[in-house]
Amino acid sequence: MVFVYTGKGRRQAQKDDAPPEQKLCAKQACAIQWCLAKRDHKEHLCKAVIDEWKECCEKVRNAKILEHGVHPNHDE
């Protein structure tokens, strides 16, 4: 998985139909973008923040499963 920062430092509003992981883990995603931008896009130097984002996404998916009894690979 490769992250590429393409923004110009401006925040964009979340789309209403964005997946829950995107909405709830936006802080971690922004941290990844910042880290990569500051470290010449060398992912190995940002492994900790990438892992935090992955952990956040996993927590959101697990909460969805517990709340709705829906497997994340199946549509509701």
Side-chain angles (χ1 to χ4, degrees):
M1 182 177 337
V2 176
F3 296 96
V4 178
Y5 178 73
T6 59
K8 296 180 181 176
R10 289 181 275 158
R11 289 187 166 226
Q12 296 179 353
Q14 290 279 341
K15 294 183 179 181
D16 290 337
D17 62 345
E21 298 90 15
Q22 185 176 341
K23 292 179 182 179
L24 298 173
C25 300
K27 179 179 177 182
Q28 291 83 356
C30 290
I32 292 170
Q33 290 178 340
W34 180 86
C35 181
L36 290 171
K38 297 294 181 190
R39 292 174 174 82
D40 199 30
H41 298 284
K42 295 178 181 168
E43 287 187 38
H44 68 280
L45 297 176
C46 299
K47 186 176 179 349
V49 287
I50 293 170
D51 290 344
E52 286 178 26
W53 172 76
K54 288 179 180 178
E55 185 178 314
C56 178
C57 290
E58 188 65 28
K59 286 180 182 178
V60 171
R61 284 188 212 107
N62 288 339
K64 183 178 178 182
I65 291 170
L66 291 174
E67 184 178 321
H68 298 290
V70 176
H71 191 276
N73 293 333
H74 292 98
D75 293 330
E76 293 184 351

